[in-house]
Amino acid sequence: MQLHIHKKYLLLPALVALMLSCNRNVLDVKNLNAVEPKLTWTDPKLANAFLANLYNRVMPNGWPARSAALYGGLPVDEKRGVINSTTIQTTSHPWSGSFEDSYADIRQVNILLKEIESGTLDAATKDKIVGQALFLRAYSYFLMVRVYGGVPLLLEPQNLTDSLKVPRASTAEVFNAINTDLDKSIQLLQGQPFVDGDKGRIGLGAVLALKGRVALYKASPLFNPAHPYDNAYWQDAYNANVTAKTQLDAMGFGLNADYAGIWSTGNEGNKEAVLTVKFTAPTKTDGRNEQGARPLSQTANATGADNPVWSMVKAYTMKDGYPAGSSPNYAYSDQTFWQNRDPRFNASIVWNGSIYETGGIAGRRQYTDDILATATDSYSPNPSTSNWSFTGLYARKGLQPELKAAEVAQNSVDWIEIRYAEVLLNLAEAANETGHTADAITLLRQLRQRAGIEAGADNSYGITTTNRDAVRGLIYNERFVEFIFEGQRFWDLKRARTLLSLNGTVQQGVASTLKPSNLPVDNAKKNAYGYVSEDFNYTINTLYRTTVDNVTFTLTDNVYFAPIPLAQIQKNPNLKQTLGWGDGTFNPTLE
């Protein structure tokens, strides 16, 4: 098969602005568009520029709200928006990017892996580039296998004009290919926590952590519905995550000292960041979508992104680690739902009357009620007004409140694709399923200690059970609050095969109304942000799609794996459709 490499896939001008994974001198070459393809693999700068383009193609282009291709933007019980049977019954499935685009990305990785072997790069340079490229191919296939199960395995470059006539490999074969690439990458990146010390590039830590994540998925109920917690893959997951944690510890990774500080400017590349997509103002900005996440009065013509729902609020424990309503130390009421909660609540969520100093306005409080809030921020869910779909809550995590409203697009908070906390929770889950429940509890307590939850007299951090099933539930809830807005919740419910537990439920928000004792409004007090959260009454309301139609979750069992897009099957009759979709016969599980 003759290989044609088009220059547009090599060194586009966009690479100059990209620089997400390479030092500036890597791209310091003249007339990039005039470079002959064969020279790419003789010059380290050109080879690394090709690699930088692969990073840009494969890795997320920001936080989940900016990365629908990787995360689907599906909110489930975390943030506003409901998925149901009509959402998923489409030929272009919302849980992944374009099927065809995924293979275009893989093709470019395959070109690198093939062509670099005929180049003249020194062994050390070549090994580092190949190690990163193998990770990117493994990552690409992982994103697909968790959506579709088995997919065609293409490990050699094809012509751009070739038709895809390759049948689907089994799910087991795809997992094997992913692990083969990761194992090779591990060998090539030994001694490289980050390649060349650049924290925007893949290193050994990222490869080990991804291998642990992949193993956790492979062992999960998603792929093993008949043997969800008694299959042999759990031991593999445990071993992989023990190795990842051990090596990450040795390389100096660990939990950041405080939860909120993980995403604070000036603390980029902290020791929790195992794999980072860098953002730097003014060249690469707003990966967090601050423009959409802020209240409308404090942004520029956009709002409504990442608005937490009431089920997210209820997921946080009290500050002693006990569930709301079960704490022996702190009473809970919906009327004071923000009081004495897990500190991650305040670090992540803005509620009515809470301090939210956007635009650098000292002491500014965010109001969402229908009286004190500006017309643009009146955001309480109320079916009798136009606010029938609003939650009364905003996002705080990952935003830069010091930015003025006109500057919101300059948000430069890095996206951390893999952080150390995930490795701890991956290990905790695998430990719990392999007879190491006590170790799992220790890891959970470590996360809660960092969060600022009180240890208690017995140093339990609110965890008093040793029951395997109960600890499993605690792990999933810990992931829920730890990873809010990080695109993990939907995939956790999918991985655990618990998405259908949402059926019949509705999303809710919290409406706020000034107490009668605070009326009429004191304008001086209002203008000084003098009304506090306790000055309001709160009502939990259902979110509505229209003023008369509330939306419930209605999911069926075929949601766990996506259909191959019909257009792809029409192009390639060798592709079998997924079981549960049309006349599909392909089994995407490992059973």
Side-chain angles (χ1 to χ4, degrees), residues 41 111-121 126 129-130:
W41 315 110
I111 287 172
L112 181 153
L113 294 173
K114 182 178 179 64
E115 295 298 303
I116 200 171
E117 294 302 325
S118 60
T120 59
L121 298 175
K126 185 179 77 170
I129 292 173
V130 170

Side-chain angles (χ1 to χ4, degrees), residues 437-479:
T437 297
D439 293 339
I441 292 171
T442 297
L443 292 165
L444 284 176
R445 288 172 177 164
Q446 186 177 346
L447 262 296
R448 290 187 170 196
Q449 180 184 37
R450 188 279 294 277
I453 290 175
E454 295 171 349
D458 56 358
N459 289 311
S460 70
Y461 293 90
I463 301 173
T464 58
T465 182
T466 58
N467 175 272
R468 177 191 181 196
D469 293 344
V471 171
R472 183 186 303 135
L474 288 174
I475 291 169
Y476 274 91
N477 197 76
E478 198 72 19
R479 294 180 68 97

Side-chain angles (χ1 to χ4, degrees), residues 63 194 197-200 253 256 258-281 284-286 398-400 402-403 410-416:
W63 289 57
F194 300 103
D198 185 341
K199 292 186 177 181
F253 291 95
N256 192 63
D258 69 291
Y259 180 76
I262 298 170
W263 301 275
S264 62
T265 52
N267 194 36
E268 296 90 346
N270 59 77
K271 66 178 183 177
E272 187 154 343
V274 177
L275 179 58
T276 299
V277 178
K278 289 183 176 180
F279 288 84
T280 305
K284 186 178 182 182
T285 59
D286 204 23
L399 303 184
Q400 293 180 262
E402 69 274 13
L403 297 175
Q410 295 301 305
N411 178 294
S412 59
V413 175
D414 290 345
W415 164 246
I416 305 176

Side-chain angles (χ1 to χ4, degrees), residues 59-192:
M59 295 302 297
N61 61 356
W63 289 57
R66 289 291 198 203
S67 302
L70 303 190
Y71 301 103
L74 300 183
V76 288
D77 53 352
E78 178 182 34
K79 56 186 180 179
R80 184 166 66 110
V82 171
I83 56 172
N84 52 45
S85 55
T86 58
T87 307
I88 61 172
Q89 290 174 2
T90 61
T91 56
S92 179
H93 202 276
W95 296 349
S96 69
S98 164
F99 188 85
E100 191 169 357
D101 286 348
S102 297
Y103 281 102
D105 296 345
I106 289 169
R107 180 181 181 275
Q108 292 301 303
V109 179
N110 289 341
I111 287 172
L112 181 153
L113 294 173
K114 182 178 179 64
E115 295 298 303
I116 200 171
E117 294 302 325
S118 60
T120 59
L121 298 175
D122 65 84
T125 299
K126 185 179 77 170
D127 285 353
K128 286 186 287 189
I129 292 173
V130 170
Q132 293 168 83
L134 287 168
F135 175 100
L136 292 172
R137 185 168 71 179
Y139 182 80
S140 297
Y141 274 114
F142 168 68
L143 294 180
M144 286 200 291
V145 78
R146 71 176 183 173
V147 172
Y148 301 104
V151 292
L153 273 177
L154 298 178
L155 304 178
E156 293 287 337
Q158 294 184 322
N159 290 328
L160 291 176
T161 55
D162 283 352
S163 297
L164 183 63
K165 300 295 184 182
V166 181
R168 295 174 76 168
S170 70
T171 299
E173 289 171 329
V174 176
F175 272 116
N176 288 341
I178 291 170
N179 283 315
T180 295
D181 279 355
L182 293 176
D183 286 340
K184 290 178 182 177
S185 181
I186 288 168
Q187 292 302 313
L188 293 171
L189 298 181
Q190 286 294 321
Q192 295 276 335

